[in-house]
Amino acid sequence: MIVDCAIYRDGERTETPQDFSDALAEARARGDSFLWIGLYEPTEREFDLVTDEFGLHPLAVEDALTAHQRPKLEVYDDSLFVVLKPVNYEPKSDTVTSGELMVFIGDSFVVTVRHGTPSPLGDIRRHLEEQHELLRHGPTGVLYSISDAIVDHYLEVSTELQSDLEELEAEVFSPGSGGSRYTASRIYTFKRQILEFRRATVPLALPMTKLAGVGQYGSGAMTVPFVQNQSRPFFRDVNDHLLRVNEGVESLDRLVSDILSAHLAQMSVRQNDDMRKISAWAAMAAVPTMIAGIYGMNFDHMPELHWYWSYPTVIMVMAVLEWVLYRLFKHRGWM
């Protein structure tokens, strides 16, 4: 469905058009205006109205309708298509959820399509309408504001994940603990959340690099159409923030893998300790069992059977042997 639709002229919202075609023609004729349409999980019929008016490429339209896309940037003849994935992190459940935000940029128009719950688009539009300077840059200003808001939230999510990882690390490496039997499951679940976060941040690096014009997309490379060249410094700032996020995500992923390996190693050492203790107790139990078994065979001609001090002597021998074994195992750390 269409969530919002407005014409922006010289950085200010002016009106809500009744006919997209007339509004777009007017915006193009004036040169200082653009049309911004926002849609939320549109149906194919609803999106056909927008597609026909703005001449959007069918492949981009298919991606916008079906969702489940990686962050990317596609250049078509009449528009620029950008896919972003806003994320949200719930600390109580340690869950990362992601949505999808598609942005069509063209000559004097912006079409945004969002899927899923986490989306800062409403707040971005309200902020832009209060800060008219960015809106004066037209569709480029809208694309920059959306990218900047999403990447800045990535930084917040990365910080929250880092805090939760420190708590998990303290649980695993606390003295005498090593975590409970559910710790491995928690670590693996946390790793899955980081993977979900990486799916949003890592593929976005290439589109931001193109928009920022850095590396092989520098000053000598072909510019991105429908994006003003003077906006490159702003996109470079977004790209720098994204690089920080991706470095943090890679670090988090490595740390979680190391913590999981350390926890499994601790569990293995603990199991070995338990097996040594069981073996030590079994060895101590075998000594009196062996002696009692020998003297319980009831043969007529066995030494010391009819000796007056046989019973206390055998008991004493058992006790001494048990004490010797206990001291030996204790010295070796098996008890």
Side-chain angles (χ1 to χ4, degrees), residues 132-188:
H132 306 302
E133 186 60 34
L134 282 174
L135 281 175
R136 289 192 176 96
H137 293 280
T140 302
V142 175
L143 179 59
Y144 161 72
S145 298
I146 293 173
S147 304
D148 185 54
I150 290 177
V151 172
D152 282 349
H153 191 62
Y154 286 167
L155 288 170
E156 296 175 9
V157 173
S158 179
T159 302
E160 293 177 355
L161 286 171
Q162 181 66 45
S163 298
D164 285 354
L165 180 61
E166 290 174 357
E167 295 177 3
L168 192 60
E169 188 177 20
E171 177 184 339
V172 172
F173 294 105
S174 59
S177 172
S180 65
R181 59 179 178 173
Y182 303 108
T183 302
S185 176
R186 283 191 58 200
I187 295 173
Y188 182 74

Side-chain angles (χ1 to χ4, degrees), residues 9 16 18 63 81 135 169 221 278 290 292 304:
R9 181 174 296 119
T16 300
Q18 299 297 324
D63 289 344
F81 179 59
L135 281 175
E169 188 177 20
I278 294 172
M290 180 188 66
E304 295 88 26

